Amino acid sequence: MSTSAATLQGRAKALPAILWGGLAAGVLDLSAAFLRRGKPIRITQGIASGLIGPRAFQGGWATGALGTALHFGIAISAAAVYYAASRKLTFLTQRTILWGFLYGIAVYMFMSWIVLPLSAFPKSNAPFSMSGLAISLLTHMFCVGLPIALAVRRADVALRPSDLSRKISPRI
């Protein structure tokens, strides 16, 4: 296969991997938030408040829809970052479970330490909770990082079928 044909095949596999990984992460993460906190409209409005501030909570279904769109945009962006990194850092697709879990933690840290402080999201006065942190980290590990890593690995295996046995080994 020529280099240009391989590049085209790689691009053809990138979009499905990014979309499937991002959509899976978005659905799982949002579902976990709904189960943990209830009130789905308030959760999605809370996401929208990161962009438009506290007035998002008075916007009804419109700001709820905006929050949902923003949430999936962020999840798809996280999948795109992992996919792009995996093109240079091939170990990301060789030990998928380990790196998926670590990526979930990294996404949590990025959102908590960079995105939220820079957003218009209302600042919380809630006290720190170790159990809350543990639940958030586990949610991001299993519901964000792992589905993204698995979707990217699936695309990687499809790109290099000769490496199939090495890529699917259950190494952690």
Side-chain angles (χ1 to χ4, degrees), residues 10 12 32 50 59 67 69 80 125 134 136 166:
N125 293 328
S136 294
R166 184 178 56 85

Side-chain angles (χ1 to χ4, degrees), residues 36-37 108 124-137:
R36 185 171 174 208
R37 302 198 191 277
Y108 173 80
S124 174
N125 293 328
F128 173 78
S129 162
M130 192 60 138
S131 63
L133 174 64
I135 290 169
S136 294
L137 287 172

